[in-house]
């Protein structure tokens, strides 16, 4: 059973456009929702994260929107740049930093000029 | 700090061979984990450890063993390699309780022929 469903699988966006990646979860015990960014040949790295007590978190051009009632969260990349081309993973975790992260299957983003 | 280091970067095995993937971190993190990444499958948890001497199974543990004798090291052993274990393997660490961010190593690309 896939606990975190991510869509789309791949995304092509024009430079300067908005990239939107969506995730849905089932387990209401999740209380931490990070997004990881992975460039080819590298390990994933934390991009931005949110907890369910807020509906939105913004860091530069990256924004997480969180809808607790719908059990959905999304990543918005404003003014997308070719350097943003990477694979993005959403994830979720239960309380305590010692519980495993559950990852979505990833979205390959290509930003074209 | 070197962060999370993994060796080797690349490995080719024949079916039935055994080997150990090495993972070390110098951040004094309590939590360590192993993931495998396959195309279209995202990151799947193999085993994890919440501290020295404590390990637990993740989503796909079959064919893999782990031990955690020190805080720094978390090796992953393939007992009898199979072509289905061809994958990219990532080790990650986290400070543990109260801190959720996971730091990933650069990965080991394993091919089993």
């Amino acid at each position: 059973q896939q606990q975190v469903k991510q869509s789309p699988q791949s995304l092509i966006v024009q430079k300067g456009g908005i990239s939107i990646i969506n995730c849905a979860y089932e387990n209401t015990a999740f209380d931490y929702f990070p997004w990881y960014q992975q460039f080819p040949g590298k390990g994933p790295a934390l991009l931005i994260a949110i907890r369910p007590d807020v509906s939105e978190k913004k860091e530069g051009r990256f924004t997480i929107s969180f809808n607790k009632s719908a059990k959905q969260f999304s990543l918005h990349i404003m003014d997308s740049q070719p350097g943003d081309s990477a694979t993005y993973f959403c994830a979720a975790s239960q309380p305590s930093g010692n519980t495993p992260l559950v990852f979505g299957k990833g979205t390959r983003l290509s930003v074209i000029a | 700090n070197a962060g999370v280091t993994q060796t080797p970067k690349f490995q080719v095995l024949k079916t039935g061979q055994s080997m150990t993937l090495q993972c070390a971190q110098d951040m004094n993190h309590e939590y360590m984990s192993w993931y495998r990444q396959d195309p279209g499958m995202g990151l799947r948890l193999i085993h994890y450890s919440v501290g020295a001497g404590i390990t637990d199974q993740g989503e796909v543990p079959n064919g893999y063993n782990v031990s955690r004798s020190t805080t720094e090291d978390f090796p992953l052993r393939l007992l009898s390699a199979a072509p289905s274990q061809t994958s990219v393997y990532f080790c990650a660490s986290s400070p543990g309780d109260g801190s959720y961010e996971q730091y990933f190593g650069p990965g080991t690309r394993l091919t089993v022929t």
Side-chain angles (χ1 to χ4, degrees), chain A residues 9 31-32 36 38 41-46 51 87 89 93-101 103-106, chain B residues 30-31 35 37 40-43 45 48 50 90 94-107 109:
Chain A
Q9 191 171 1
D31 79 334
Y32 173 70
Y36 280 76
Q38 184 183 31
K42 304 291 186 184
L46 179 66
R51 294 191 190 252
T87 299
F89 294 96
S93 176
Q94 296 190 42
S96 163
N98 282 338
T99 55
L101 278 174
F103 284 88
K105 291 190 175 183
Chain B
E30 289 296 322
Y31 183 93
Y35 293 88
Q37 182 175 21
M41 299 297 291
L43 293 157
L45 183 66
Y48 66 100
V50 299
F90 289 100
S94 170
D97 198 19
S99 178
Y100 292 64
E101 179 176 357
Q102 292 205 29
Y103 297 79
F104 282 81
R109 183 174 292 274

Side-chain angles (χ1 to χ4, degrees), chain B residues 74-107:
Chain B
F74 191 43
L76 178 72
R77 297 182 187 84
L78 280 70
L79 308 173
S80 177
S84 61
Q85 294 178 303
T86 293
S87 187
V88 181
Y89 291 84
F90 289 100
C91 178
S93 74
S94 170
D97 198 19
S99 178
Y100 292 64
E101 179 176 357
Q102 292 205 29
Y103 297 79
F104 282 81

Side-chain angles (χ1 to χ4, degrees), chain B residues 22 25-26 29-31 37 47 49-51 56-57 59 63-64 83 85 89 91 102-103 105 111-112:
Chain B
Q22 301 292 344
Q25 52 91 9
D26 61 359
H29 286 173
E30 289 296 322
Y31 183 93
Q37 182 175 21
H47 286 285
S49 169
V50 299
D56 206 347
Q57 296 182 353
E59 179 186 357
Y64 307 95
Q85 294 178 303
Y89 291 84
C91 178
Q102 292 205 29
Y103 297 79
T111 301
V112 183

